[in-house]
Amino acid sequence: MTTLVVVLGLVAVAGVPYLVWTRLEARKHKRAAIIHQDTLSLGEDLVPASIHPEVDLDECIGSGACVRACPEKDILAITDGRARLLNPLSCIGHSACMQACPVGAIKLVFGTATRGVELPRLTPSFETTQPGIFVIGELSGIGLIRNAVEQGRQAAVTIFRSSRRGRPGELDAIVVGAGPAGIAAALALIAHGLKVQIVDQDRYGGTVTHYPRSKVVMTGSFELPGYGSIRRKTMTKEQLLVLEAIHADGPSWRLVGPGWQDRAASVVLALGRRGAPRKLGVPGEELAKVAYRLIEPEPFADQHVLIVGGGNAAADCAIALARAKLCTSVSISYRRAELARLRSLVRKDIERCFAAGTIVPLLGTEVVSIAERHVTLQTAEGMRQLINDRVIVQIGGQPPSELLRTIGIELVEKRGEA
Ligand SMILES: Cc1cc2nc3c(=O)[nH]c(=O)nc-3n(C[C@H](O)[C@H](O)[C@H](O)COP(=O)(O)OP(=O)(O)OC[C@H]3O[C@@H](n4cnc5c(N)ncnc54)[C@H](O)[C@@H]3O)c2cc1C
């Protein structure tokens, strides 16, 4: 009798956690299956421009080793006993999944069989088909900070060893993009004694400065010979210069953007992959209250915020603000009567916010002008003024490959290849 009680007790002690665990696992798999269906339905829209994993479903044994190894956590999941890509756009190419797979079922590729990704044709030292123009970092197709830094260093060594030097009044090199790749290249060029300038349309630091607050940045080994840690004072950076075009100028290059131009013998393009945010093109858009991304909700506290756009990015942004419960009001303006091509979980979340009144849907409206204290919207009923403190525009971006093409740099299309 005593033995039976002990056995039953042990079964109960072990069984309850097991039951809880299986329920949690089942819920996780159900959620993964929904996201996977979304990913399939959004299909081509979700092909990342940089390297990402491709799972061979015939080889995959569903061990989950890749899911556990992924540092970004929500990229892969097991559904129906196989690893699936849930969130390919967030993959940054750590390759940890590929290394962890016990049966070699994962490879890292660019593009897919049906949708190619265009990458610049580069020499091993990252020079493009235009002599003296280099492409490094994520724009070359390879992600990760440590790779960006290493490419920057290698490009700088090649420029230093070449005979390309600026004519009187010109720079030896201009680096466009002050992310990890551009900073590394500029520092290495300066270390070699070259006359260098680095320009960026945004803040110093590139994509790294837009990571969510709690993001852990794994840089791997980050060596900048002769410098050690990177300090802001180490180089000159012209704030907020957007590169729009590059023209040949004898043996040098002339770089042009709104309100500036400069000449240099070599150009290092370290533009990343995010591209320039698409603008509304309405009066008042130049006001400081207009932003093109949400990093943290705190700066929007106690303000009337309008998000403009109808895709996942705009919806995610509105949901994040509504959840933070800091804003006086959160509205979303989209020119169509319905939000477009949302992932189903995002749609559920935003509809819940609409129902709860935490996000005001302004569908079928178009922003026609922006002023300090209000925004004017074109609606089906005519013009409407909305009290407003901040506007966040989320209507996509212009891919940097367009800029590369205008410079005459040869691009190669990759369709699911390494
Ligand atoms: C959410 C997230 C998390 C990540 N986590 C990690 C991580 O943990 N570890 C890791 O190693 N990597 C991580 N990555 C990847 C890493 O951030 C990138 O690989 C790296 O930033 C690429 O560096 P880059 O210098 O090539 O480009 P970027 O960092 O994107 O910098 C490009 C710069 O170019 C500027 N620019 C672009 N176009 C123009 C123009 N026309 N004129 C002027 N300036 C222009 C931009 O403003 C930007 O400052 C993460 C990425 C994201 C999005």
Side-chain angles (χ1 to χ4, degrees), residues 72 92 94 136-139 142-146 148 176-182 199-203 205-208 210-212 215-219 241-244 270-276 403:
E72 300 303 311
I92 51 169
H94 287 283
I136 55 168
E138 207 140 70
L139 186 59
I142 305 289
L144 294 188
I145 296 164
R146 66 167 182 273
V176 189
V199 300
D200 199 295
Q201 66 187 4
D202 200 345
R203 290 183 289 171
T207 299
V208 174
H210 303 296
Y211 290 168
K215 181 80 180 73
V216 177
V217 181
M218 287 148 294
T219 53
L241 293 186
V242 184
L243 171 71
E244 285 189 339
L271 309 175
R273 276 269 158 203
R274 282 179 303 136
L403 177 64

Side-chain angles (χ1 to χ4, degrees), residues 9 83 113 144 163 190 231 245 274 292 298 309 386 392 404 413:
L144 294 188
S163 57
I190 293 167
R231 285 173 294 114
R274 282 179 303 136
Y292 295 89
E298 282 77 5
L386 186 76
I392 305 176
L404 298 187
E413 198 184 40

Side-chain angles (χ1 to χ4, degrees), residues 220-260:
S221 56
F222 192 113
E223 276 305 309
L224 283 175
Y227 279 94
S229 64
I230 300 167
R231 285 173 294 114
R232 192 187 173 107
K233 283 187 190 144
T234 323
M235 63 182 152
T236 334
K237 177 191 170 248
E238 295 293 327
Q239 294 287 343
L240 307 180
L241 293 186
V242 184
L243 171 71
E244 285 189 339
I246 300 182
H247 305 288
D249 185 358
S252 302
W253 297 100
R254 186 165 58 89
L255 285 76
V256 185
W260 73 283

Side-chain angles (χ1 to χ4, degrees), residues 141-225:
I142 305 289
L144 294 188
I145 296 164
R146 66 167 182 273
N147 294 332
V149 168
E150 180 53 21
Q151 291 185 356
R153 197 191 61 76
Q154 287 186 29
V157 169
T158 307
I159 293 171
F160 170 65
R161 289 191 181 145
S162 77
S163 57
R164 300 186 73 92
R165 293 294 179 269
R167 295 170 293 183
E170 286 182 357
L171 294 154
D172 293 322
I174 294 185
V175 179
V176 189
I183 291 171
L187 287 176
L189 286 164
I190 293 167
H192 286 302
L194 269 64
K195 205 171 150 202
V196 183
Q197 186 169 5
I198 182 164
V199 300
D200 199 295
Q201 66 187 4
D202 200 345
R203 290 183 289 171
Y204 174 89
T207 299
V208 174
T209 58
H210 303 296
Y211 290 168
R213 185 188 290 143
S214 58
K215 181 80 180 73
V216 177
V217 181
M218 287 148 294
T219 53
S221 56
F222 192 113
E223 276 305 309
L224 283 175

